[in-house]
Amino acid sequence: MSIKGRIFGTVVGAAGLAAAAGAVGIARQNRIIGNRAAGEDVAFGELHSAPRVVVADDAVDLHVEIDEPADFGGRASTEDDLTVVFVHGYSLNLDCWHFQRAAYRGQVRTVFYDQRSHGRSARSDEDHCTIEQLGHDLRRVIEDTVPGRCVVVGHSMGGMSVISLAEQHPELFGDKVVGAALMSTTAGGLDPGRILFPMLPLGLGGRFVGRAVRTLDIGHLVVDQARKWGHAVADVFTDRYAFGDDVPASMVEFVYSMLNSTPFAVVADFYPAFATLDKFEHLEPLSRVPTSVICGTEDKITSVGHSRKLHSRIPGSSLLECEGAGHMVLLERHKEVTAELDDLLSLAQGQARP
């Protein structure tokens, strides 16, 4: 993959520096450093552990996988150790965390789950396909899988899930949740039409998208077949909309396979939630804990302006802008993203200590 520009360093607000100084000194004594090259020699979609089920409050079964450090050459974790909970984005699944999962195996306890109606999780009814419900789901996952304290990491719709958790359960932040990462996401003001590429069949786009989603849902089986027919063209759209720089063809195909495995009925069920999203007034709990905002400057879905606004509204947060990267920055610039998460975990470790 060619790199078109330098990676901007982490920008930490003055308030965050003051609050975190002591935590950094403590955390460096036991710093978690992910193996940033891990995953490069492992085929996409091959990293899994024993499945378990977390039942959401509306009885939907959520597919969850936990990587225990002891299962991958590390020491057995205790309740005093951090757990990192990863929350994937719209029309993706837990496999999207390929590089981060590989990096932290044996280093820290990690939890991955498929959001409702995605991946291996059960289908949800349309009424519960909301950002609010995703926040409730994240709370249930934390309750069932985190014995101590945790850091939550959300990409795209997963970041919205983290923000929803902060809105509905602010009491968790600074107590159960001691760190957060918001990656390629927003709290509102999103043009929902931008998020549908390349999930529509060839020839549909522009202003037609917003009006057509519900109509297309009626014939979603036809839409799904059209997506398969347009595979080659969809690869081009995936490359253009998911990435900002040149990436290996295998990475493009990996993202396309996740998008294409999500039925269009699911795409349509969640689509209205993006048009009404407005949670910038509910970010305060995130200022209580180390929070990292991560984005690519060439993100065509949640543009860099969304991340800059989040950073400005979360006092003490850090901002990592990956020059030239797109929406799938977690794959495209995985080493830089993992390095930023290393710093976040160090700060969170310091905060989690008594």
Side-chain angles (χ1 to χ4, degrees):
M1 177 180 69
S2 67
I3 304 297
K4 291 182 177 177
R6 64 187 178 88
I7 305 299
F8 283 78
T10 302
V11 181
V12 182
L17 283 174
V24 173
I26 296 172
R28 282 177 178 164
Q29 298 174 17
N30 188 26
R31 182 177 169 87
I32 296 170
I33 302 292
N35 180 359
R36 298 167 194 170
E40 294 181 355
D41 296 323
V42 180
F44 290 123
E46 294 298 315
L47 298 177
H48 289 282
S49 54
R52 59 182 292 178
V53 172
V54 169
V55 181
D57 53 16
D58 64 340
V60 169
D61 288 346
L62 303 176
H63 174 89
V64 179
E65 299 179 15
I66 301 174
D67 285 357
E68 296 283 358
D71 293 337
F72 301 96
R75 65 175 178 83
S77 60
T78 70
E79 288 191 10
D80 293 331
D81 294 322
L82 285 178
T83 296
V84 187
V85 181
F86 289 88
V87 195
H88 71 77
Y90 185 49
S91 293
L92 301 174
N93 59 55
L94 61 79
D95 289 336
C96 72
W97 298 108
H98 176 84
F99 290 110
Q100 290 72 38
R101 186 169 193 171
Y104 288 119
R105 276 192 161 179
Q107 305 294 320
V108 63
R109 188 172 186 273
T110 51
V111 173
F112 305 85
Y113 72 100
D114 287 329
Q115 300 227 58
R116 59 178 50 229
S117 295
H118 291 70
R120 301 162 190 82
S121 287
R123 282 291 296 273
S124 169
D125 63 80
E126 182 182 350
D127 289 343
H128 286 92
C129 290
T130 65
I131 302 302
E132 289 72 24
Q133 182 62 55
L134 297 182
H136 289 309
D137 291 350
L138 176 54
R139 176 185 56 83
R140 290 289 297 121
V141 170
I142 291 172
E143 286 178 347
D144 278 21
T145 68
V146 178
R149 295 182 176 181
C150 67
V151 171
V152 289
V153 180
H155 171 257
S156 191
M157 188 174 75
M160 299 172 197
S161 304
V162 172
I163 293 169
S164 177
L165 179 72
E167 176 190 10
Q168 298 174 87
H169 303 285
E171 72 283 355
L172 295 179
F173 287 77
D175 180 17
K176 188 73 172 179
V177 178
V178 293
L182 304 175
M183 196 178 306
S184 305
T185 192
T186 185
L190 183 67
D191 174 6
R194 298 173 71 89
I195 67 177
L196 287 176
F197 293 101
M199 293 175 282
L200 288 174
L202 178 63
L204 298 179
R207 289 179 298 176
F208 179 73
V209 171
R211 306 187 198 105
V213 171
R214 187 51 55 193
T215 302
L216 288 170
D217 185 29
I218 297 172
H220 62 85
L221 296 179
V222 176
V223 175
D224 289 335
Q225 186 59 51
R227 290 160 71 194
K228 295 177 182 178
W229 290 338
H231 186 170
V233 175
D235 270 352
V236 174
F237 274 106
T238 302
D239 190 15
R240 180 178 301 171
Y241 281 87
F243 302 102
D245 216 332
D246 297 329
V247 299
S250 60
M251 193 175 290
V252 176
E253 180 61 28
F254 175 50
V255 173
Y256 172 75
S257 68
M258 288 187 285
L259 297 175
N260 196 51
S261 67
T262 304
F264 191 77
V266 174
V267 174
D269 284 347
F270 279 95
Y271 182 81
F274 302 110
T276 59
L277 183 68
D278 183 11
K279 297 187 182 298
F280 277 105
E281 301 304 316
H282 301 285
L283 298 173
E284 184 277 331
L286 290 158
S287 68
R288 305 176 197 168
V289 301
T291 296
S292 177
V293 181
I294 303 170
C295 59
T297 61
E298 296 302 316
D299 191 328
K300 299 177 181 67
I301 297 174
T302 50
S303 65
V304 66
H306 289 282
S307 289
R308 292 171 180 169
K309 186 173 181 180
L310 285 171
H311 173 53
S312 71
R313 297 290 188 92
I314 305 173
S317 63
S318 65
L319 175 64
L320 173 67
E321 295 184 9
C322 296
E323 182 70 19
H327 191 63
M328 296 301 296
V329 65
L330 71 169
L331 296 174
E332 189 173 3
R333 301 292 170 81
H334 61 89
K335 291 182 179 179
E336 290 77 18
V337 167
T338 300
E340 179 74 1
L341 294 179
D342 288 344
D343 291 340
L344 174 66
L345 295 181
S346 293
L347 292 172
Q349 276 186 315
Q351 177 153 322
R353 294 176 187 269

